[in-house]
Amino acid sequence: QNRTASSRVAKHGARSVSSLCGSGDVVEAFGVELELGPKGIAQCIEDAGIGFMFAPTFHPAMKVVRPVRKALGVRTAFNMLGPLLNPAHAKYALIGVYSTDISKLMADAAALMGIEKTLVVHSMGLDELTPMGPASIYEASGGAVTSYEIDPLDLGIPRCDVKDLAGGDAALNAAILRDVFGGARNAVADALNLNAGVALAACKCASDVKEGIRMAQEAQRSGKAGETLRKWVEASGEAKRVHGLE
C-alpha cells in the first residue's frame, strides 16, 4: 500500500535581509500569522502539520542586528547561524547553504548539536536542491559527517534552467507557490517535490528518496498541499487569537 506524505514541519526563518524575499515574507503573503509564540506554533503544528517560527520573536538579538545586516547588504555569519538556531529542536533537518565552501562547517556544527540527521544541501549555485543539475549533500548523522552527490535525473526529475525557477517579491512568490500547491506541473513543482522527497526520506517517512518524491508528488498534484496551506492560515489566525505571543 502506498504511503502518503505526512511529516510535520517546524520552519525557522525571517523576513528578507540580504535577498529580495525571505521565507517570512512569503509566509506573511500567504496570510499566515507571522508573529506567534511557542504555544501558537505548537497549535499550528498540531492542527495543520506545519509551523513557522519567526526568528526575531524567538531570538530578539536578530531584531537588533537586522538594520545593520540590511545596511551591509551582504551575507554575514547570521546567514549561517539562522538555520542552526531552530527553536523546535527537531530531530531531522534539511538546510540549504549558499556555497559548498560552508557545507562541511554547517554539517560539523549540526553533528555537534546532537541532531539525529541533518542534510546540508547546495545545487548549481542555489541554497536548495534544484532540477538544474547535481546537488552536493553533506549528511550529519550519529555524530559523523559524510558527503555525496545526487542527480535529480536519476530520480525521475527532468532538467530545467534557472529562469524556470525565477521568482520575485513576496506577492509573486506566494502566487507561484499557490499555483504549485494547487497541482500545477512545472519546474517549481519539480523543485518542491525534489526537496520534499529528500526530506521525507531523511526523516524516515519514506523508505528512500524515490518513494519520498512519489509521496510529495501525490500530495502536490492532488491539491492536498493547497489544503494544508488553507488549514495553516486558519490555524495561525486562531492561534494568534487564543495565544498571542505566548
Side-chain angles (χ1 to χ4, degrees):
Q1 183 178 356
N2 286 343
R3 294 189 287 177
T4 57
S6 60
S7 178
R8 295 184 175 189
V9 177
K11 166 68 178 169
H12 179 232
R15 294 191 179 94
S16 170
V17 176
S18 58
S19 61
L20 181 61
C21 179
S23 55
D25 300 304
V26 178
V27 167
E28 199 168 40
F30 281 146
V32 173
E33 288 288 346
L34 199 59
E35 299 191 34
L36 294 173
K39 289 184 179 179
I41 300 300
Q43 191 63 55
C44 286
I45 294 173
E46 179 66 29
D47 293 346
I50 183 169
F52 185 90
M53 290 156 290
F54 187 48
T57 299
F58 287 83
H59 304 289
M62 295 285 194
K63 195 180 298 183
V64 176
V65 300
R66 186 176 187 274
V68 179
R69 294 179 65 198
K70 194 80 172 175
L72 287 171
V74 295
R75 296 186 183 99
T76 67
F78 286 95
N79 292 82
M80 293 184 281
L81 278 175
L84 296 171
L85 294 176
N86 190 317
H89 302 294
K91 291 165 61 180
Y92 306 99
L94 178 65
I95 298 174
V97 292
Y98 57 82
S99 168
T100 53
D101 291 344
I102 64 168
S103 294
K104 188 173 186 307
L105 177 66
M106 294 287 280
D108 285 342
L112 290 171
M113 291 172 69
I115 303 171
E116 190 165 321
K117 181 182 285 187
T118 301
L119 300 184
V120 179
V121 305
H122 178 88
S123 173
M124 308 299 289
L126 299 179
D127 61 350
E128 60 186 271
L129 300 166
T130 81
M132 288 163 42
S136 160
I137 299 181
Y138 277 74
E139 178 178 320
S141 181
V145 174
T146 56
S147 64
Y148 50 90
E149 282 196 352
I150 64 169
D151 191 326
L153 281 180
D154 297 333
L155 302 167
I157 303 289
R159 284 280 191 267
C160 75
D161 294 321
V162 67
K163 67 179 185 298
D164 300 320
L165 301 174
D169 61 13
L172 175 60
N173 291 344
I176 291 170
L177 288 172
R178 281 186 188 278
D179 285 344
V180 169
F181 293 158
R185 299 194 184 196
N186 51 37
V188 175
D190 288 339
L192 182 149
N193 291 328
L194 173 62
N195 282 273
V198 169
L200 285 166
C203 70
K204 303 177 184 177
C205 286
S207 59
D208 56 28
V209 173
K210 283 188 176 180
E211 185 189 31
I213 290 173
R214 181 201 59 74
M215 291 163 64
Q217 288 172 335
E218 191 278 330
Q220 181 262 319
R221 293 173 179 175
S222 67
K224 289 178 183 175
E227 179 58 31
T228 295
L229 176 59
R230 287 188 287 275
K231 287 181 180 177
W232 186 18
V233 172
E234 292 175 7
S236 72
E238 179 66 8
K240 183 74 169 181
R241 185 186 69 79
V242 174
H243 301 295
L245 284 173
E246 289 184 353

